[in-house]
Amino acid sequence: LLLIFGLWSRGRKGEARWYTAAVLSGWALYALAKFAVHRPRPHVISRLMHGAGGFSYPSGHSMLAPIIFGLGIIVCAAPWPSPALRRAALVLAALFALAIGFSRVYVGVHYPSDVVGGLLLGTAWSSGAATFAHRERLERSGEQLVTVGPQLRRLVAREHVRVETREQRVVD
């Protein structure tokens, strides 16, 4: 909520709306996955089972960590001038998500597969949301996004067309 408020108050309302939609839709996917799988929790420490609630797969903490922290870093770091600093912040968010996942297994409220599944679902959802936002931004700016493989990149380079590989745009 603080991130959304901060983005909104800085005039980045579109990013605040996008982040809110991505997180809420990721949370809905998590709830649907729990309902669809119905996997019971492990019973390692019985006193922890009373407050754990619900089913085990996927781990909600593990699934929502890459969505909340990963997308949060992507949104916050977008205006930063240093790509290395943005990557470092994203690596820290990933490490934090992994630590959360480890803690869920450590305290005995999830199986390791619950955590791995949650991390994979959350990362996939985050990647999809970020890709969608990137494509939308390119479409609004009138630029064309082209996926370019190494062979095509070499072929296009021979034809005197400049290729920007970082954002995978082909520009005359």
Side-chain angles (χ1 to χ4, degrees), residues 34 38-42 53-60 109-111 114:
K34 277 231 192 238
H38 275 81
R39 182 176 187 181
R41 292 185 179 271
F55 297 107
S56 184
Y57 184 88
S59 166
V109 293
H110 285 288
Y111 296 105
D114 301 339

Side-chain angles (χ1 to χ4, degrees), residues 23-24 35 37 39-40 46 49 53 58-59 76-77 82 101 103 107 120 124 128-130 148 157-158 163:
V23 169
L24 290 177
F35 180 73
V37 176
R39 182 176 187 181
S46 61
M49 294 303 107
S59 166
C76 284
S82 169
S103 73
V107 298
L120 290 174
V148 179
R158 273 189 247 137
V163 178

